[in-house]
Structures are given as structure tokens and as C-alpha cells.
Amino acid sequence: MKIGFIGLGNMGAPMAANLAKAGYKVTGFDTAGTTAEGVANAASAQDAVKGAGVVITMLPNGAILQTVAREIIPHMTKGATLIDCSTVDVDSAKIVAEEAENAKILFVDAPVSGGIGGASGGTLTFMAGGTDDAFASASPFFDIMGQKAVHCGAAGAGQAAKICNNMILGVTMIATCEAFALADKLGLDRQKMFDVVSTSSGYSWSMNAYCPAPGIGPQSPADNDYKPGFAAELMLKDLGLSQQAAESADADTPMGALARAIYQQFVENEGGKGRDFSAMLPRFEARSRDH
Ligand code: NAD
């Protein structure tokens, strides 16, 4: 079966390469002219999707996804499957799902967790939204590009799960970093702080698996001068999407809102852009109570 792949960036290129490695004929397209190992390059998005049984998109945001979807859906084979793996707003996912359905295309929104390492290692987690049929036809490809796929519900449910997860992540990373900075000022040894919290009720993925303190816990971007990893500006993007969703669903999310404001300040005014999102720790360390 032929696969079309639109968006060969940091994530898309290794994902497309893994599909090619698994024996599929993959044709890719990216406006930046990027390529991926084993993947043929098409001259346009329309060319990449012609005759494909499955089309995968891995794009920067919802506006671009909607534009690309309008370009490609009319050129896709009826009954083919469109899998969007980008992180986008819930409304864009639902709009594209409806346009696909009207054209007799199966659609799954399937954002991922696992970052660039997960994309190249084929160990991503997919959070999927769509019909049972759409999820079933996408599943073999999730198996190649990842290690787990959860069918979260109807169209948009994958994006909803992704932004809720990342809202928790943003909040817990800030909480973990401010607690480390307080512990420092209280004269607590960082290793002791880790030993206690990682096995007590303050534990979390941010502390246990991605510890923001250099030299403590498992290897993480903190051990590599906070090179991403997961860049602070990508966390800001996801926190923005969760606030957008909270507004449209009338949900009260004060911690998510504050996390977004803190990451925005960090990225836009405090040199956080291009640093890992766990560089929140040196940011707090450098501050006093009245900043
Ligand atoms: P990226 O910017 O490296 O890749 C996006 C690619 O899309 C670029 O190469 C760009 O040229 C291409 N593109 C833009 N407009 C296009 C168009 N109209 N037609 C074809 N190609 C177009 O970004 P990335 O890091 O690969 O992330 C992709 C998506 O995955 C984003 O939605 C991001 O939020 C999400 N994501 C990223 C990570 C990560 O760690 N990088 C982790 C999880 C999810």
C-alpha cells in the first residue's frame, strides 16, 4: 500500500522513515523541501496523496492543517484514511474530520507523545479520536511508528487528551521547579530532595522521569545544559491550546492559565525560547520573592 506523508519536519521525517523501513512505499511532501530516509519526494501535497491508501500529516498548527486538508482531501482516493498526528486545536480537528467524512475519507486525529526520540525510535504514544473504522484502519501504522495507541473517542478526542495531558505536565513542571528552588534556599541537598519526593506523594513524571535538576535522577535535558528535549515554546503552544479549549468549553482552569502565563513570560521575555521546558528551574533559582 502507498502512503502519503505531508510535513517532514523534526517529527514527521523520522516517522515517515520508519514507515518506509517497514516496507511501505512512502511519498512525502514538505514546503521546506525536507526529505526523509527511504521516502520519495513529491512536487506537491496533491501529488503525494494521489493513489495513497493512507495519508499522514505532521504539521505545525491547526490553521496549516486546515489549509493542507482542503488541498489534499479532493485528491485522495475514496475510502482512504487521513491520520493527522500534529498537535492542533480541538476545533480544527473536528472541522477537518467533517470535511473528510463529506468526501468519504476516514479521519483520525492522533497527536503523539514521546518527542523526537520517540519518533525516531518508533516508540511514540498515539492519542486517537475518530470512528471505530477509522481507528482500526490507522492502527497498523500506529504500531509501526509507536508502541501504544489509545482510542480516546470521537473526532477531536485525541487532541483533547493531548492538551489535558500537557496542561498537567506544564503545571507539574512549574510546581517541581519552584519546589526545588525553595529547597535550595532552605539548604536542602538536591539529591535528598529527589530521593524523598520521587518516592513520596509529590512524585510526578516531571520529577521522576525528567528531573529538572542537573545530575539528579535519570538522564534528562537538564544534564545537557537544558537543550531540548521538549522546547519551552512548544509547551507554551500546548498550554495556549488548552486555554483555547477551556474557553470554548467554559471550563475553569486556573492552574493551566497561570502555567501558560508563566511559560509565556519565560519564552518571550526571559530567554526561555530554544531551551527545554525544564529550564524553568534556573529561572526560579535566579528569582527572589519580589522577582
Ligand atoms: P517542525 O516545524 O519541525 O515540522 C513541521 C513541518 O511542516 C516543517 O518541516 C514545515 O516545513 C512543514 N510544513 C509547514 N507548512 C506546510 C505545508 N503547508 N505543507 C507541507 N509541509 C508544511 O515541527 P515538529 O517538531 O516536527 O512538530 C510537528 C507537530 O508535532 C507539531 O504540531 C508539534 O506540536 C507536534 N509535536 C512535536 C513534538 C516535538 O518534540 N517536536 C512532540 C509532540 C508533538
Side-chain angles (χ1 to χ4, degrees), residues 83-86 107-112 125-129 142 158-159:
I83 308 173
D84 176 47
C85 295
S86 332
F107 176 77
V108 195
D109 53 293
V112 303
T125 295
F126 291 87
M127 303 150 227
F142 294 151
Q159 297 295 349

Side-chain angles (χ1 to χ4, degrees), residues 28-233:
F29 175 73
D30 191 299
T31 41
T34 49
T35 56
E37 212 181 316
V39 174
N41 262 45
S44 67
Q46 288 97 319
D47 283 350
V49 306
K50 271 183 198 140
V54 168
V55 172
I56 300 173
T57 48
M58 194 49 166
L59 296 162
N61 60 48
I64 294 177
L65 168 68
Q66 288 193 42
T67 307
V68 169
R70 270 171 213 134
E71 275 169 33
I72 60 176
I73 287 174
H75 297 272
M76 285 178 63
T77 313
K78 283 199 173 34
T81 305
L82 175 59
I83 308 173
D84 176 47
C85 295
S86 332
T87 302
V88 302
D89 55 288
V90 177
D91 292 341
S92 290
K94 288 183 178 169
I95 289 167
V96 172
E98 198 180 322
E99 287 172 0
E101 196 189 337
N102 291 341
K104 305 270 178 291
I105 304 292
L106 297 170
F107 176 77
V108 195
D109 53 293
V112 303
S113 171
I116 297 164
S120 30
T123 56
L124 294 168
T125 295
F126 291 87
M127 303 150 227
T131 62
D132 288 344
D133 283 353
F135 182 74
S137 71
S139 286
F141 307 96
F142 294 151
D143 290 345
I144 295 166
M145 297 183 287
Q147 61 183 0
K148 187 169 174 68
V150 179
H151 189 190
C152 300
Q159 297 295 349
K162 167 84 186 172
I163 58 176
C164 288
N165 179 75
N166 279 23
M167 187 171 80
I168 296 171
L169 177 62
V171 170
T172 55
M173 181 54 83
I174 291 172
T176 303
C177 292
E178 71 177 25
F180 258 121
L182 170 62
D184 284 349
K185 291 193 173 170
L186 296 175
L188 195 60
D189 179 72
R190 283 187 168 181
Q191 184 63 52
K192 302 294 180 203
M193 169 78 177
F194 177 82
D195 291 347
V196 171
V197 175
S198 66
T199 54
S200 300
S201 45
Y203 87 102
S204 68
W205 186 87
S206 296
M207 175 61 87
N208 292 40
Y210 205 90
C211 182
I216 312 283
Q219 274 282 320
S220 71
D223 302 311
N224 191 24
D225 202 21
Y226 296 101
K227 288 197 180 67
F230 184 50
E233 61 269 28

